[in-house]
Amino acid sequence: MADSPQEIQKAVRKILWIGAILIVFTVITVALSYVELPSHSWNLIVGMIVATFKAALVALVFMHLNHEAKLIYKILAFTTVFALAIFLLIYFTSLDPLEFARF
Amino acid sequence: MDIPYTVTARPDTGLYNAKVGIWLFLASEVMLFGGLFSSYIFLRVGADYPWPVHELNVTLGFINTLVLIGSSVTVLLAWASLKLRRIGAYKLYMLITVLCAATFMVNKTFEYKAKFEHYSVTLTDGTILTGHLPHGYSLEFGDVKTLNLTVAGKTSAVDADPVKYVLPYVKGDVPKFRTEAGEEITLDAASFAKLKAEAHAKAVEKAKAEQLKEVPNWSVKLTAAAPLTFSVPPSKLLAKPAPGATMIAFRDGTSVEGRMINDKMTLEVDGVDLRATPDKEKSLAWNEHYLGSAWKKAFIEQRDHAIAEFNEKYGDGKGGTTRDPNKSATHQKHQFFMHLHSAKPESHGADGAHKAEAHAPAGHGEAHASHHPEVQLERKDVQFFSNFTPKLNSYYAIYFTLTGLHGMHVVAGALVLAYFLVCNGRMLREDPERLANRVEVGGLFWHFVDLVWIFLFPLLYLL
Amino acid sequence: MSAAAHTHDHTHDHAHDHHEPGFIGKYVFSTDHKVIGIQYAISGLLFLLFGFFLMLLMRWSIAYPGQPIPGFDIVSRLPVIGGIFNEMIGRWAPGGVVNGELYNMLGAMHGTIMVFLGIVPLGFAGFVNFVMPLQIGTIDMAFPRLNMWSYWLFFISGVGMLASFFLGTGSVQTGWTMYSPLASTTAVAVTNIWMHGHTWWLLSMVFNISASLLGSVNVITTVINLRAKGMSWMRMPFFCWAMFIVAFLLLLAFPPLEVAALLQFSDRVFGSSFFLPTGLMEGGQHLDISGGGSPLLYQHLFWFLAHPEVYVLILPAFAILAEVIPANTRRPLWGYKAMVYGGLTLGFLSFLVWAHHMYLTGMGTMMSTYFQITTVLISVPSVILLTGLMISLYGGSIRFTPQMLFASAFLPMFGIGGLTGLPLAFTFIDLALHDTYYVIGHFHYVVAPGSIFAFFAGVYHWYPKATGRKMNDLLGKLHFWPSLVGMNLVFAPMFIQGMGGFHRRWYDGGKYFEQTSSASNWFTELTSGFFGLFGMEVPNNLLGLNVLMTFGAIILMLGQVPFILNFFLSIKGGEKVTSDNPWNCTTLEWATPTPPPHGNFTFDIVAVRGPYEYSVPGMNQDYFPQWESEPGKAAEPSAVPSAPAAAAHH
Ligand code: HEM
Ligand SMILES: [Cu+2]
């Protein structure tokens, strides 16, 4: 945790930088969405990669996840696994080879 | 007696209590939005209609993104200022953060309002017309002589209450009514309560006399002194009446017999979507009393132009294309989704009139009324209609749910931050370190709200 | 309080710490974890009782369809109670006969109330609030005021649920699982959708879920950050471990149910089609909806919660037994570490098995296979937990106190419940058994003579700590034996009926399904023969079992009378305990005065040993408390290194 005044000053500069980067990438996201990639899935994938990058910046820097107590990482790791489970498993049930799932 | 580790961190975990608490809370929030995003994926994968892309107001969404990023920065600056004991700066940054939240919500309100006022009508052949209802939409039902009320024997989900659910829709003055006993009454809350009590008493009597197990429903007829005409939105009826119906039932179960005078829907059309219409050139939209052949011509022009452009862009030189035109969502939209910008079709040049740009109807008022053709849709041609609300389709359903929940988080976060700013003056003086912890924790929540928006913006507005 | 706690500065703004709060502050809007725990426990018990009463009405209707409920007339003529009863239930039962509509309400509300308003508040919230902060040696939960809010949110949700009975529509009717599309479309065309039992159910659930979320944040934070000096993770009693895991389940599994509730709410109130497929018809008419949604989505979101939820129901039971059994066998808990890791594995896996409730939805074979595998896997940690408790009995000198009776009955009862779950894990068997009474039998064995027995054990065990008096032994036994007999009479025949094909939601108990219900076997013969001894004519077929089960339920009901008497009479009239540790236990809650004051401990508590040091060889007493450095002498805080280094890891 940045606690001494100098460290806080440094942190402030970093925050402003990251804020600027986020804005730039927001513009990039919007622009990219108007570019026609080979298929719309590509647009989705690229868009999600950019969004994930931005989200990572927010989480790592703004929410100081780049240096946090180990316990927080553990909690978030499990949360991520379960969140992925609910994404992927539900998604897979709609992709079964027998195509039963699609009503 | 104090709870330990409210201010300083516990040595072995390296965390103070509130920090653990907020991260746990955020973990559950991740699962909440995880569930919602996974519903989004499921609905999108299973959607049986073209998923809307660039259909919302991108500019507003973009501004809101900037606002949220800005507020994320200022809440951190507030925290840093507090750590450095620059109280003035702390207060200023907090204030800006809260104002950003307010801006966000105001923008959202505009966006929602525009959606509520915009309608989409699916015709029976799958053609979709979008536009505004200049006069709203009400059925006109006339020649009504009697109200048939049903007083439920036991309390039930549908019970007569005509004062609240029927009379507001009478056109003109409400006449007097005659009861079955021949009494002349003005129907209002008091007189109806009396009627209802009488009816109930009769029902109870009958149950006793015939040894019924249950108190039966009791029907009450009220004859109007003068024929009634109703003007009622379909949503205020129990069920949508069929075209040309001779009876309608209000939400309290009161039914009336009469004649449908007018159930046509007047729509100022600002878009025609033919993607789901099997034969685009025979769409109901081109009926002469709807949009007519002039617009059909404009549509064909746009379509051919889009095809030409597609071939030019992706032609492989051998008469085919490198991309499957049927699989290109954008191309389908360029071909079959026409925006109407004027009351009469202009002849389109090649200069990009096909562009299916996001056409937000924000700010459409009476002044613009003449900018769109007005059609009178007959009920028999209408399969489904709704304004742009969750009812319209699963895209708008998930859009409103996601942004609505996110908006609630914005409000909650802003309230908490405002509380720190306004109500924690004493802590600011006496224990600024503890307040800094609070601001940090509130900030974490605020960043999370920002983080969710980072995904929402592209998923709903752009892709 | 530990030395570490003294290091932080004492500035705070809690004015209320300094003067005695009044009655309301002390017992109603209290922030004290013990009071909140008792509030939860008593509310939970009351809801269990109410849910039980709903079940009795259902059982009557099943055994004697079309016949008036005995005593209906008398109850409905009672002065105040009669009025309430009539408004709530009577008006749906003309002449005292339960009809299909009422049966559906009873069924839906029985499930909801038992699971969300009875067992979780009692077993988790009640016990964890009262016991856990004591066991880890701290003064309160990490966020006492939030704790109070959780209780009141839960309270609002309970009131909302009960109030929905009084609405014009009556309460919700679509089963505790609220499956869409039925639940999205039934009775939407009503005068006012906001005054509808279903709407109230959904909103109450949102309150209930929020309460659980806040509660579990509190519990986890407390366990992580407020453990006393020396209380390393591996010195934590298994009780705290299990509750810690449950809190995680609530924290991460409940949000998707909140999503499901909100989406269904949107479907009903705003007319969206989240769970409604295109072209859905009702009564031969196309509904006025856009379609494009999926009923499967609802089931996924629901079961993503509801499978972890079943472990929320059972882990508190293991938690309690891990305290009760060692205390009454005077032996250490067998395989403490294995149980901890087993519990963690169970918690983890429970998130990955949910769709075994959905085999018959046409989900597809690949996913079914995946879910079969994980479901079979998860029975391994379940068996580890059960085995640990079972082996703990070995070589003990068992004291058959009432709590121990309940604990020892739990083991075989949970065993039956768990083992009957295994066949259900396989798609080909579930094909026949899904939605039959077999499934009902399976989970009731786990939850009723399982969880609820364990909670009774917990009540008997910690009652002296809360009140300073023991509950009466004889009444305890009079409570136990009829309960055991009643439970088995109610739930065992369900397996037989289920395998005979009885559907779980027949309000007439199968009377109109002769093909199914006319089957007979040795068990039905025994049943009809038995009742024949008393001159009652009970058919020698599966229908006859309904009568048996209803009698079981009545025995069960009678069995609860001694408990209720015991619970209230012992507050003033129970045997006074002579020491702060009447059962000679080892864990920290017994180091407090009785009942524990605000702030709990009177000396600086440190944990210097593991939680289950019973019958340590070479000692002249058969227990060695966690807080004592040598028998009878509390350890000095300096006895352990200042930062419990081992604590951070496990
Ligand atoms: C030990 C391993 C267990 C296995 C393999 C197992 C398996 C299953 C399966 C496959 C079903 C679905 C049956 C169907 O609907 O066709 C089921 C239902 C159920 N189980 Fe279990 N179970 C186990 C333990 C438990 C425990 C410990 C509990 C609760 C404390 C529990 C509570 C339930 C409930 C409540 C249902 C039915 C829910 C409903 O449909 O209303 N089960 N179980
Ligand atoms: Cu399950």
Side-chain angles (χ1 to χ4, degrees):
Chain A
M1 186 73 25
D3 262 359
S4 72
Q6 296 88 326
E7 278 177 85
I8 292 180
Q9 296 286 6
K10 241 167 70 190
V12 165
R13 241 165 290 139
K14 197 155 122 197
I15 290 163
L16 292 175
W17 264 111
I18 299 293
I21 295 176
L22 286 174
I23 292 174
V24 170
F25 272 90
T26 307
V27 176
I28 291 179
T29 313
V30 175
L32 273 178
S33 78
Y34 287 101
V35 176
E36 258 184 76
L37 298 177
S39 79
H40 194 72
S41 318
W42 282 98
N43 282 70
L44 269 170
I45 292 167
V46 172
M48 281 302 99
I49 290 174
V50 177
T52 311
F53 173 72
K54 285 167 65 186
L57 283 184
V58 172
L60 291 177
V61 183
F62 284 4
M63 302 170 88
H64 343 287
L65 272 186
N66 49 358
H67 54 98
E68 192 46 277
K70 235 162 100 192
L71 219 122
I72 303 283
Y73 290 127
K74 278 190 199 163
I75 294 171
L76 291 181
F78 280 109
T79 312
T80 315
V81 171
F82 299 142
L84 282 180
I86 195 171
F87 273 18
L88 296 180
L89 292 178
I90 293 186
Y91 177 59
F92 288 157
T93 54
S94 65
L95 282 188
D96 196 80
L98 293 181
E99 282 270 333
F100 277 173
R102 273 219 187 170
F103 288 116
Chain B
M1 262 170 322
D2 272 336
I3 312 259
Y5 312 120
T6 46
V7 180
T8 48
R10 180 181 165 114
D12 59 344
T13 57
L15 295 161
Y16 55 89
N17 297 341
K19 190 89 164 269
V20 184
I22 191 70
W23 273 110
L24 289 167
F25 184 69
L26 291 184
S28 93
E29 292 278 43
V30 168
M31 293 309 289
L32 180 78
F33 282 98
L36 283 165
F37 278 119
S38 111
S39 309
Y40 171 92
I41 298 176
F42 199 73
L43 291 172
R44 182 162 186 172
V45 170
D48 51 7
Y49 58 95
W51 193 259
V53 169
H54 284 146
E55 212 176 276
L56 304 172
N57 190 330
V58 176
T59 322
L60 264 186
F62 181 69
I63 293 174
N64 266 352
T65 313
L66 298 189
V67 167
L68 273 194
I69 293 175
S71 70
S72 253
V73 170
T74 54
V75 80
L76 277 170
L77 295 180
W79 170 77
S81 310
L82 186 55
K83 276 276 192 189
L84 297 173
R85 305 289 185 275
R86 293 184 191 147
I87 306 302
Y90 155 73
K91 286 186 173 164
L92 180 67
Y93 285 129
M94 276 303 242
L95 187 67
I96 298 178
T97 312
V98 174
L99 288 181
C100 281
T103 315
F104 183 93
M105 289 317 290
V106 169
N107 280 346
K108 257 285 74 87
T109 316
F110 279 123
E111 199 179 322
Y112 276 12
K113 188 157 175 285
K115 291 275 161 295
F116 294 156
E117 288 167 357
H118 198 198
Y119 279 76
S120 166
V121 182
T122 310
L123 302 181
T124 44
D125 67 348
T127 306
I128 294 174
L129 301 178
T130 59
H132 291 85
L133 299 174
H135 326 295
Y137 180 46
S138 291
L139 306 172
E140 214 162 295
F141 192 80
D143 290 354
V144 173
K145 295 189 187 75
T146 48
L147 306 181
N148 304 306
L149 317 176
T150 307
V151 177
K154 51 181 185 181
T155 39
S156 100
V158 183
D159 193 8
D161 189 0
V163 182
K164 209 160 145 202
Y165 294 97
V166 180
L167 297 190
Y169 309 107
V170 173
K171 247 180 134 176
D173 291 335
V174 180
K176 289 202 180 242
F177 289 90
R178 198 155 36 76
T179 64
E180 283 152 289
E183 203 182 330
E184 184 100 329
I185 56 166
T186 320
L187 193 52
D188 56 22
S191 64
F192 176 67
K194 193 164 144 262
L195 265 181
K196 192 170 174 180
E198 280 168 16
H200 198 70
K202 277 183 204 151
V204 171
E205 211 169 281
K206 176 171 178 196
K208 272 216 187 99
E210 299 179 18
Q211 298 202 326
L212 300 178
K213 277 187 181 164
E214 250 176 281
V215 179
N217 289 345
W218 202 263
S219 45
V220 175
K221 265 197 173 54
L222 289 178
T223 314
L228 299 168
T229 305
F230 290 97
S231 169
V232 54
S235 62
K236 304 294 178 194
L237 298 176
L238 261 195
K240 233 172 39 174
T246 56
M247 195 210 69
I248 57 174
F250 292 85
R251 287 203 84 87
D252 69 333
T254 300
S255 68
V256 296
E257 278 168 40
R259 181 173 64 85
M260 192 67 83
I261 299 173
N262 182 7
D263 58 0
K264 285 198 184 124
M265 186 182 208
T266 309
L267 186 73
E268 275 173 13
V269 184
D270 61 18
V272 186
D273 181 357
L274 294 166
R275 281 175 287 185
T277 319
D279 190 340
K280 324 283 189 221
E281 298 189 13
K282 290 214 179 98
S283 162
L284 284 175
W286 311 138
N287 278 356
E288 273 318 318
H289 54 284
Y290 291 166
L291 287 177
S293 51
W295 279 109
K296 179 176 170 184
K297 206 168 126 250
F299 163 74
I300 291 174
E301 252 170 50
Q302 162 176 336
R303 185 192 63 188
D304 293 346
H305 180 81
I307 292 173
E309 202 179 53
F310 185 81
N311 288 339
E312 190 181 315
K313 217 162 153 189
Y314 300 113
D316 59 3
K318 289 175 262 170
T321 49
T322 52
R323 283 196 196 178
D324 184 349
N326 293 325
K327 281 197 182 145
S328 163
T330 352
H331 180 51
Q332 292 290 314
K333 195 167 161 186
H334 288 177
Q335 276 190 89
F336 302 131
F337 193 174
M338 180 168 69
H339 285 281
L340 281 55
H341 300 289
S342 52
K344 293 247 152 49
E346 316 147 359
S347 82
H348 293 291
D351 53 324
H354 60 283
K355 256 205 198 140
E357 76 262 31
H359 187 70
H364 272 290
E366 289 304 302
H368 294 259
S370 61
H371 286 192
H372 301 292
E374 209 176 270
V375 300
Q376 297 226 319
L377 298 170
E378 278 178 53
R379 282 274 309 168
K380 68 171 173 43
D381 291 336
V382 175
Q383 187 190 322
F384 178 75
F385 75 90
S386 163
N387 48 356
F388 281 66
T389 53
K391 188 175 178 183
L392 182 59
N393 57 32
S394 49
Y395 168 76
Y396 279 100
I398 195 83
Y399 158 74
F400 275 105
T401 311
L402 273 170
T403 55
L405 271 180
H406 178 265
M408 275 149 95
H409 281 75
V410 171
V411 172
L415 284 179
V416 169
L417 294 180
Y419 175 82
F420 294 160
L421 181 61
V422 177
C423 302
N424 277 354
R426 190 162 143 219
M427 196 186 283
L428 178 64
R429 267 174 280 124
E430 288 172 6
D431 194 358
E433 201 52 27
R434 183 158 176 201
L435 185 60
N437 280 355
R438 284 197 172 185
V439 173
E440 187 187 0
V441 163
L444 280 173
F445 180 75
W446 193 251
H447 299 312
F448 179 77
V449 172
D450 185 20
L451 197 146
V452 170
W453 184 257
I454 285 179
F455 285 103
L456 282 187
F457 176 53
L459 281 179
L460 294 172
Y461 290 73
L462 302 176
L463 301 169
Chain C
M1 213 191 304
S2 73
H6 284 284
T7 55
H8 85 267
D9 53 340
H10 276 260
T11 44
H12 52 73
D13 57 358
H14 296 285
H16 63 88
D17 278 355
H18 298 294
H19 63 83
E20 272 298 297
F23 176 81
I24 295 214
K26 212 161 161 187
Y27 297 110
V28 183
F29 295 105
S30 171
T31 56
D32 186 319
H33 71 100
K34 298 175 292 293
V35 177
I36 295 177
I38 292 171
Q39 286 175 331
Y40 266 122
I42 291 182
S43 322
L45 282 167
L46 288 177
F47 275 117
L48 283 180
L49 195 66
F50 182 70
F52 182 75
F53 158 73
L54 298 183
M55 180 276 261
L56 283 176
L57 296 181
M58 285 156 70
R59 280 249 67 95
W60 176 264
S61 164
I62 291 170
Y64 302 105
Q67 294 184 35
I69 305 161
F72 179 88
D73 279 348
I74 304 171
V75 175
S76 60
R77 279 198 210 110
L78 290 177
V80 179
I81 300 174
I84 297 175
F85 175 80
N86 281 338
E87 275 306 304
M88 207 160 183
I89 293 182
R91 66 193 161 114
W92 303 101
V97 177
V98 176
N99 59 15
E101 221 177 355
L102 177 59
Y103 184 86
N104 284 345
M105 287 184 208
L106 296 174
M109 290 308 273
H110 166 75
T112 309
I113 286 176
M114 286 305 205
V115 170
F116 296 110
L117 300 174
I119 295 190
V120 177
L122 170 63
F124 173 68
F127 282 109
V128 82
N129 265 304
F130 187 83
V131 178
M132 185 271 288
L134 298 176
Q135 277 197 343
I136 63 169
T138 185
I139 59 170
D140 206 321
M141 297 290 256
F143 311 111
R145 234 174 308 169
L146 189 70
N147 205 13
M148 177 188 81
W149 276 107
S150 311
Y151 175 76
W152 288 104
L153 280 177
F154 154 73
F155 188 82
I156 293 173
S157 87
V159 171
M161 288 285 179
L162 290 185
S164 73
F165 273 106
F166 296 96
L167 295 176
T169 57
S171 69
V172 67
Q173 292 187 26
T174 37
W176 83 285
T177 50
M178 273 340 125
Y179 273 5
S180 282
L182 184 67
S184 282
T185 56
T186 38
V188 177
V190 296
T191 309
N192 185 350
I193 192 81
W194 290 95
M195 297 306 281
H196 194 291
H198 201 126
T199 314
W200 285 43
W201 188 91
L202 291 169
L203 293 179
S204 299
M205 279 313 286
V206 171
F207 277 104
N208 192 295
I209 293 166
S210 311
S212 299
L213 290 178
L214 297 181
S216 52
V217 166
N218 222 333
V219 168
I220 300 173
T221 310
T222 308
V223 171
I224 287 179
N225 243 22
L226 297 193
R227 277 166 295 122
K229 203 171 182 198
M231 179 57 76
S232 62
W233 286 100
M234 277 309 178
R235 276 186 195 157
M236 230 166 48
F238 183 75
F239 179 92
C240 295
W241 265 112
M243 292 300 194
F244 183 65
I245 297 163
V246 170
F248 264 106
L249 298 185
L250 288 174
L251 185 76
L252 300 179
F254 251 130
L257 180 72
E258 191 148 18
V259 173
L262 288 173
L263 300 192
Q264 192 170 81
F265 179 79
S266 167
D267 273 5
R268 291 184 62 86
V269 176
F270 306 132
S272 60
S273 299
F274 281 113
F275 305 134
L276 304 177
T278 305
L280 188 66
M281 296 173 86
E282 205 178 76
Q285 289 244 304
H286 278 286
L287 293 173
D288 181 29
I289 52 160
S290 67
S294 165
L296 263 190
L297 179 60
Y298 178 83
Q299 297 194 19
H300 278 304
L301 293 173
F302 181 84
W303 288 113
F304 186 87
L305 157 90
H307 188 82
E309 174 79 12
V310 306
Y311 292 98
V312 172
L313 306 180
I314 199 66
L315 275 174
F318 282 110
I320 290 164
L321 292 201
E323 305 307 306
V324 171
I325 290 186
N328 287 285
T329 57
R330 319 306 296 160
R331 298 270 304 147
L333 185 68
W334 190 85
Y336 167 77
K337 268 195 177 168
M339 285 183 69
V340 168
Y341 288 119
L344 289 168
T345 318
L346 188 81
F348 180 80
L349 281 178
S350 71
F351 283 94
L352 305 174
V353 302
W354 76 84
H356 62 218
H357 297 270
M358 299 166 56
Y359 289 144
L360 259 68
T361 56
M363 174 176 66
T365 48
M366 200 173 75
M367 291 318 287
S368 294
T369 311
Y370 161 83
F371 282 110
Q372 283 182 74
I373 293 171
T374 50
T375 306
V376 175
L377 277 181
I378 202 173
S379 55
V380 175
S382 317
V383 170
I384 291 178
L385 294 187
L386 188 64
T387 315
L389 293 177
M390 201 105 85
I391 301 183
S392 301
L393 299 176
Y394 183 75
S397 48
I398 300 177
R399 308 193 290 216
F400 280 106
T401 52
Q403 62 264 40
M404 190 57 196
L405 286 176
F406 278 106
S408 29
F410 169 92
L411 300 173
M413 294 295 112
F414 176 79
I416 295 175
L419 287 179
T420 48
L422 267 185
L424 295 176
F426 300 98
T427 43
F428 50 93
I429 303 179
D430 193 48
L431 203 58
L433 295 179
H434 178 68
D435 267 355
T436 65
Y437 263 99
Y438 183 93
V439 175
I440 308 284
H442 152 63
F443 71 78
H444 279 94
Y445 257 100
V446 200
V447 202
S451 300
I452 294 182
F453 270 20
F455 301 160
F456 283 140
V459 171
Y460 286 103
H461 186 64
W462 280 294
Y463 193 88
K465 183 49 56 186
T467 63
R469 289 169 194 267
K470 290 184 180 177
M471 287 173 84
N472 183 289
D473 240 35
L474 178 67
L475 284 175
K477 282 169 186 161
L478 283 178
H479 174 207
F480 170 71
W481 288 106
S483 298
L484 182 67
V485 173
M487 290 274 188
N488 280 287
L489 284 180
V490 178
F491 299 125
M494 288 187 177
F495 294 124
I496 296 169
Q497 284 192 335
M499 286 188 277
F502 263 49
H503 189 272
R504 64 190 282 186
R505 290 196 170 128
W506 285 338
Y507 87 95
D508 61 5
K511 196 172 162 203
Y512 299 109
F513 294 83
E514 247 178 288
Q515 287 257 278
T516 306
S517 51
S518 59
S520 64
N521 57 23
W522 62 268
F523 194 86
T524 61
E525 191 153 336
L526 206 66
T527 306
S528 90
F530 174 78
F531 280 104
L533 292 180
F534 303 95
M536 285 177 64
E537 233 179 273
V538 170
N540 172 15
N541 60 25
L542 292 180
L543 280 184
L545 298 186
N546 285 336
V547 180
L548 178 65
M549 287 148 80
T550 300
F551 271 80
I554 291 169
I555 294 176
L556 190 54
M557 174 184 79
L558 296 177
Q560 305 317 302
V561 177
F563 175 72
I564 297 170
L565 289 177
N566 204 349
F567 191 89
F568 288 108
L569 294 182
S570 299
I571 296 176
K572 285 269 178 291
E575 180 199 335
K576 259 206 163 104
V577 293
T578 47
S579 106
D580 285 336
N581 188 359
W583 313 116
N584 292 343
C585 293
T586 53
T587 41
L588 294 190
E589 76 266 36
W590 305 103
T592 62
T594 308
H598 192 60
N600 297 343
F601 294 94
T602 46
F603 58 96
D604 274 358
I605 195 97
V606 275
V608 283
R609 64 192 71 258
Y612 300 111
E613 308 235 335
Y614 287 99
S615 301
V616 179
M619 272 183 71
N620 52 8
Q621 67 181 38
D622 65 354
Y623 65 106
F624 202 167
Q626 277 193 286
W627 67 92
E628 291 185 356
S629 55
E630 48 193 272
K633 187 170 171 296
E636 290 297 321
S638 54
V640 284
S642 60
H649 311 282
H650 57 261

